[in-house]
Amino acid sequence: MEKYVIHGGQPLHGRVEISGAKNAAVAIIPAALMVRGVCRLENLPQISDVDTQLRILTYMGAKVKMINPSTMELDCTNVQIDNLPEEMWELTRRIRASYYLIGAMLGRFGEAYSTMPGGCNFGVRPIDQHVKGLTALGAEVDVSGGFINARAKTGRLKGTTIYLDKVSVGATVNIMIAAATAEGRTVIENVAREPHIVDLANFLNSMGADVRGAGTDVIKIRGVKHLHGGTYALIPDQIEAGTYMAAVAACGGSVQVANVIPKHLECISSKLREMNVQVEEGDDFVLVSREGMLRHTNVKTMPYPGFPTDMQPQICAVLCCAPGVSVVTEGVWDSRYKYVAELKKMGAQIQVEDQAAFIQGVGHLTGATVKACDLRAGAAVVVAGLAAHGVTKVEDIFYIERGYENLVGKLQALGADIRCIDEPETPSARGPVRWAVI
Ligand code: UD1
């Protein structure tokens, strides 16, 4: 079993280059299913979620040509959705963003089916707003038996006005994709404003769509008949950048976090400044440094431009080392604190009550064997391990590799003592030893 081994306590120094945004990539790749022609996608992150999505599209007949590790040509001209193999459904069950196939298939073929999506488990993850939006566009949607089936009643979706009852990234993405080729005009109100929503709109527009207002809370789309090929470079990953910023905050040192859009990081930068971390903005980098003691603070997660829920576990890990009491409140998900048990193994003092975590800062954390409970929970225990005294072993790192490109290499370049090792499972981890019957 592969795991990370971290000898913590070193300050971080140097420069780290941020990869393309995971959540933009996992929306744009399925959206490319709508394109008749070649999409050249640049600045793609090399992560397992992207790999999984490309494999899914390949089962449908897409042609994928890698130009270099972060640039790819994707040709969905001849995709089809009949008799897709069971191996493909195994992949769609693994990741959250597979439900974007529904919007894309509906837009391209007027019918769609997929499995219910997988992804990180932080409580109930309903899809009622996706269903509401696609139904309003004229689809019949059936969710049962672990599958989603949808069909445009008149063969092609029809534009309309949709109000989302909840600000949802996923529903905004799915409806935008489906509406791009719907007949007439679609207005989506109370939408998510995350940077990857804007990135998806820019991608669709560069392939011939007419999407306006992304980044505000109303998106207006004039449907076009077809999308055509083109070239598009993805934005850098806000959360990957924020994770390295959190790592510097926890360990001390000084790091240039490069290839970022500083505006996307403002919600994170201002919290770190409250915690006595210096953050200077350049055109496409932020310089993060900490020399003095961390200061405690309070954080509440909210949809963009609020503090991102996907940075909540990492910021908790940092606050564990800040003297005094910090309160972190989760404002997006019902519960997202499974990783707290892991941080406690490292000496953290955290009490969770409903959606709030009360953190009593300790002098320092101590290395332990911990698990990545999900993608960002995994990032949090890595941040904690980098700052902790002693050795931390992080298990179940496949979660982390869903969303972080070359985490170990990038941290090593900053002076961290982290390695990925392949250690056989201990008998107790495998269950009771079974003696051979001679
Ligand atoms: C996306 C991100 C995820 C991030 C989340 C919030 C991707 C692939 N994943 O997830 O990393 O944590 O945004 O920033 O981009 N909700 C409903 N009904 C729905 C849909 C959502 O009630 O139909 C609720 C959810 O339970 C949650 C909130 O809305 O409380 C936000 O969820 P949403 O923005 O949809 O998250 P995802 O798109 O799944």
Side-chain angles (χ1 to χ4, degrees):
M1 185 177 53
E2 287 201 327
K3 52 182 83 162
Y4 296 154
V5 179
I6 307 170
H7 291 256
Q10 324 275 347
L12 303 178
H13 286 281
R15 180 177 184 276
V16 61
E17 182 106 5
I18 297 307
S19 303
K22 164 188 171 280
N23 287 348
V26 300
I28 286 171
I29 293 170
L33 192 60
M34 312 252 294
V35 175
R36 292 161 205 253
V38 177
C39 290
R40 184 184 166 102
L41 297 177
E42 298 172 352
N43 202 32
L44 272 175
Q46 293 171 66
I47 52 174
S48 66
D49 268 17
V50 162
D51 227 51
T52 304
Q53 274 196 327
L54 290 174
R55 285 169 59 200
I56 292 170
L57 289 200
T58 308
Y59 278 116
M60 295 177 171
K63 299 266 177 294
V64 179
K65 184 175 166 194
M66 292 312 295
I67 307 297
N68 63 47
S70 62
T71 304
M72 170 195 82
E73 285 181 357
L74 179 57
D75 185 354
C76 293
T77 309
N78 295 317
V79 289
Q80 61 86 33
I81 56 171
D82 296 325
N83 302 318
L84 296 170
E86 181 52 34
E87 296 92 298
M88 183 186 126
W89 303 125
E90 279 166 26
L91 297 178
T92 58
R93 280 188 200 99
R94 271 193 217 164
I95 57 171
R96 190 77 201 153
S98 57
Y99 56 16
Y100 298 151
L101 292 171
I102 296 292
M105 286 183 191
L106 268 175
R108 173 86 184 253
F109 302 103
E111 57 180 315
Y113 41 91
S114 188
T115 59
M116 281 297 277
C120 293
N121 174 11
F122 19 83
V124 185
R125 296 186 75 169
I127 61 162
D128 56 301
Q129 297 305 307
H130 302 239
V131 174
K132 173 180 171 173
L134 298 174
T135 306
L137 288 170
E140 275 173 343
V141 186
D142 174 58
V143 183
S144 54
F147 280 86
I148 311 169
N149 281 281
R151 197 177 59 83
K153 281 186 268 186
T154 60
R156 185 179 174 198
L157 297 175
K158 205 165 179 330
T160 187
T161 297
I162 301 157
Y163 177 86
L164 294 181
D165 302 312
K166 182 110 193 191
V167 177
S168 159
V169 170
T172 305
V173 167
N174 231 341
I175 299 167
M176 279 168 79
I177 295 174
T181 56
E183 193 185 331
R185 185 165 178 260
T186 300
V187 179
I188 324 168
E189 296 173 342
N190 197 30
V191 295
R193 292 180 280 165
E194 267 67 4
H196 40 285
I197 299 289
V198 180
D199 212 34
L200 172 65
N202 290 340
F203 164 77
L204 290 169
N205 287 343
S206 65
M207 306 291 146
D210 183 352
V211 180
R212 297 173 196 208
T216 74
D217 55 8
V218 180
I219 292 178
K220 295 177 180 161
I221 301 171
R222 273 188 196 283
V224 295
K225 277 213 163 133
H226 300 295
L227 299 182
H228 55 67
T231 296
Y232 191 74
L234 277 71
I235 52 166
D237 196 304
Q238 177 205 32
I239 306 300
E240 188 198 13
T243 302
Y244 285 99
M245 293 166 78
V248 183
C251 298
S254 177
V255 170
Q256 188 190 84
V257 182
N259 182 35
V260 299
I261 299 174
K263 174 90 190 143
H264 294 166
L265 303 174
E266 272 171 8
C267 36
I268 301 164
S269 304
S270 29
K271 268 298 146 196
L272 290 179
R273 288 190 189 109
E274 282 174 31
M275 294 161 66
N276 196 29
V277 178
Q278 288 69 52
V279 184
E280 287 168 41
E281 289 181 6
D283 287 343
D284 64 351
F285 67 88
V286 288
L287 182 64
V288 187
S289 45
R290 180 176 71 80
E291 281 172 15
M293 291 278 280
L294 281 166
R295 259 198 310 263
H296 65 104
T297 192
N298 299 333
V299 179
K300 177 161 186 187
T301 68
M302 277 182 283
Y304 189 82
F307 189 89
T309 172
D310 288 355
M311 278 298 300
Q312 184 253 90
Q314 302 89 311
I315 209 76
C316 267
V318 182
L319 288 170
C320 287
C321 310
V325 177
S326 301
V327 183
V328 173
T329 310
E330 175 53 47
V332 175
W333 297 105
D334 290 342
S335 151
R336 199 175 180 169
Y337 290 117
K338 272 201 295 184
Y339 66 90
V340 162
E342 305 304 306
L343 291 181
K344 282 183 169 175
K345 292 178 191 164
M346 303 176 73
Q349 290 186 17
I350 309 176
Q351 197 172 331
V352 175
E353 282 173 27
D354 301 324
Q355 280 166 291
F358 297 86
I359 305 167
Q360 171 69 61
V362 291
H364 62 81
L365 296 171
T366 308
T369 297
V370 288
K371 278 189 194 332
C373 309
D374 61 51
L375 168 58
R376 307 303 172 187
V381 290
V382 170
V383 167
L386 291 168
H389 291 190
V391 182
T392 296
K393 288 188 179 178
V394 181
E395 298 178 342
D396 292 351
I397 59 170
F398 53 88
Y399 278 117
I400 302 176
E401 294 180 350
R402 282 187 41 214
Y404 288 89
E405 177 179 322
N406 188 22
L407 180 71
V408 168
K410 289 185 185 186
L411 284 170
Q412 283 173 345
L414 298 178
D417 186 343
I418 175 169
R419 283 175 302 134
C420 182
I421 61 161
D422 198 357
E423 203 172 65
E425 282 179 67
T426 56
S428 61
R430 271 189 268 120
V433 176
R434 292 180 200 285
W435 299 104
V437 179
I438 301 170

